[in-house]
Amino acid sequence: VILPAAKSGIISGIILGIGRAIGETMAVMMIAGNSPLFPEGLFTNIRTLTINIVLEMAYSTGLHRQALIATGFVLLIFVLILNILLGFIKKDKSSVKSQKTSEGINKTKKSIKISDQLSEKFNALNNKKQYSFVKTGNVQSALKIISVSISVFVVAVLIFIIGFILFKGLPHITFNLLFGPSGNAGMTLSPAFVSTGMLIFLSLVIALPIGIGAAVYLVEYAKKGSKFVKVIRLFTDTLAGIPSIVFGLFGMIFFCGILKMGYSLLAGSLTLVLIILPTVIRSTEESLIAVQDSLREGSLALGASKVRTIFKVVLPSALSGIVTAIILSIGRIVGESAALIYTSGAVAYVPTGYLSQGSSFAVMMWIFAGEGLYINEAYATAAVLLIFVGILNAIVFFCEKKLKRGKA
């Protein structure tokens, strides 16, 4: 009963997982060996499509660069196909729901009658004290054990990873590492603090008005169920599933090359805007949808205009969700590396402006690990990132709790 009913969600999870596996870059690059050979087994070195772009784009020219751009296009087509499949699954699910709704209306009287009969039998058994609830069967017991074991395994893996990183990194977090003078690629994270802060600020300043404006249009002005809205949502979902290295490839060609920005924090920020836009749009849209229609109707009935209703009633009611979108976007910016390596650069000095190169925390950690001489600093940077992400998750939890309390 349960698994067939949840089939659509399970398949959607599988498709999203495949998209994430196709698009992952830095984590695979650090452990896969990166040999451009046909794999002969599970223990041979490999090079994925995303890794191929990262490793060769810096020195590619002519036909070589065109081939790497074509590789990014192939990745884009993969993601688009996955999103189309996901759309068909959601469509089938909605049609099944509507069919079940109509069938349920026709069978209401019959269900009530059956329910009354069962209630009478249950009351009779209850009066005679002749019923009991017993767990029977080895299959049920085995399923419970397997489910609990898998849950414990997932939690144990998470605890092990966090504990391992903190154990390796915390002893090496020193004042000199965090705030020491820049210039030495293995001694300080001060350039990362400045670069990450500048990237967060400019990206949010550009992405928030665009994302919130798009969400307001989709919820407040667009005709529900129109093809144009469906196209916007399809593009938004596709944008959310595009591998970050494809964004980096686009940013390097368009912002750094065509617009002549070069490797700079400005080019990196504009690339990050494209990456976080889906998060801002989707989160804000869900928050706006959650606002009760009675608030809108009451405001309009009192003589307020549509614009005043949106700014004075709707957006303040959805503020917690918007804050959550901002926090999630900050987390994505802090953790991004592949898209920034070829747009904002990978240097170990403090930037002097948005036209200077800079390295975020994730890029700095990649520099430390890639050198092979600063593994302790790499662990320390990873520990700082974990702590930062933990703080962001705690803030998201409290914002969601506040949002639910406001709904109640």
Side-chain angles (χ1 to χ4, degrees), residues 312-324:
K312 295 295 184 179
V313 177
V314 178
L315 287 179
S317 300
L319 183 60
S320 296
I322 296 174
V323 172
T324 300

Side-chain angles (χ1 to χ4, degrees), residues 67-81:
L68 295 178
I69 296 173
T71 303
F73 180 74
V74 170
L75 286 169
L76 187 63
I77 294 299
F78 276 163
V79 173
L80 186 60
I81 292 174

Side-chain angles (χ1 to χ4, degrees), residues 94-391:
S94 61
S95 62
V96 170
K97 281 185 177 180
S98 61
Q99 182 180 0
K100 287 183 178 180
T101 301
S102 60
E103 292 176 355
I105 294 174
N106 295 329
K107 296 180 179 180
T108 301
K109 293 182 179 180
K110 185 177 179 180
S111 300
I112 294 175
K113 188 176 180 180
I114 295 173
S115 177
D116 292 339
Q117 293 175 355
L118 292 174
S119 179
E120 291 176 1
K121 292 181 180 181
F122 179 79
N123 290 331
L125 290 172
N126 189 26
N127 293 331
K128 294 181 180 180
K129 305 292 184 180
Q130 292 179 352
Y131 73 93
S132 61
F133 298 96
V134 181
K135 294 180 180 179
T136 59
N138 295 328
V139 176
Q140 289 86 339
S141 300
L143 180 61
K144 181 178 180 180
I145 293 173
I146 293 173
S147 301
V148 173
S149 300
I150 292 174
S151 302
V152 172
F153 173 76
V154 172
V155 175
V157 169
L158 178 61
I159 294 175
F160 174 76
I161 293 175
I162 294 176
F164 181 83
I165 295 298
L166 293 179
F167 177 79
K168 287 281 192 176
L170 288 179
H172 302 287
I173 297 178
T174 61
F175 181 85
N176 187 57
L177 176 67
L178 295 177
F179 307 109
S182 63
N184 189 333
M187 296 304 295
T188 179
L189 289 176
S190 55
F193 279 104
V194 178
S195 299
T196 304
M198 294 175 68
L199 288 171
I200 291 173
F201 175 77
L202 186 58
S203 300
L204 292 180
V205 165
I206 299 174
L208 286 180
I210 299 174
I212 296 175
V216 169
Y217 168 76
L218 291 174
V219 177
E220 303 295 334
Y221 290 101
K223 184 179 179 181
K224 294 183 179 180
S226 66
K227 292 184 178 179
F228 183 64
V229 172
K230 291 180 180 179
V231 169
I232 292 178
R233 289 202 172 104
L234 175 62
F235 284 4
T236 302
D237 293 338
T238 304
L239 200 65
I242 294 176
S244 59
I245 187 58
V246 176
F247 284 108
L249 183 64
F250 171 80
M252 185 185 69
I253 295 173
F254 185 74
F255 297 127
C256 300
I258 297 177
L259 298 184
K260 306 297 182 181
M261 295 181 184
Y263 284 174
S264 63
L265 291 177
L266 178 59
S269 298
L270 294 176
T271 304
L272 288 173
V273 168
L274 301 178
I275 294 176
I276 66 175
L277 260 181
T279 301
V280 177
I281 294 174
R282 275 305 198 184
S283 298
T284 306
E285 183 183 4
E286 293 299 326
S287 301
L288 295 176
I289 292 174
V291 177
Q292 298 177 0
D293 290 335
S294 59
L295 295 177
R296 299 179 176 88
E297 294 168 357
S299 176
L300 295 173
L302 291 173
S305 63
K306 182 72 172 180
V307 175
R308 187 174 181 83
T309 299
I310 291 173
F311 281 95
K312 295 295 184 179
V313 177
V314 178
L315 287 179
S317 300
L319 183 60
S320 296
I322 296 174
V323 172
T324 300
I326 295 173
I327 296 172
L328 292 176
S329 300
I330 293 174
R332 181 67 189 271
I333 293 171
V334 171
E336 188 55 55
S337 56
L340 294 177
I341 291 174
Y342 291 118
T343 53
S344 63
V347 295
Y349 54 79
V350 177
T352 57
Y354 277 102
L355 295 179
S356 300
Q357 298 186 41
S359 300
S360 65
F361 280 108
V363 175
M364 189 68 73
M365 183 174 65
W366 176 74
I367 294 174
F368 290 157
E371 291 288 338
L373 302 175
Y374 308 106
I375 299 299
N376 292 333
E377 286 79 359
Y379 279 124
T381 308
V384 172
L385 279 174
L386 275 180
I387 294 171
F388 190 79
V389 170
I391 295 173

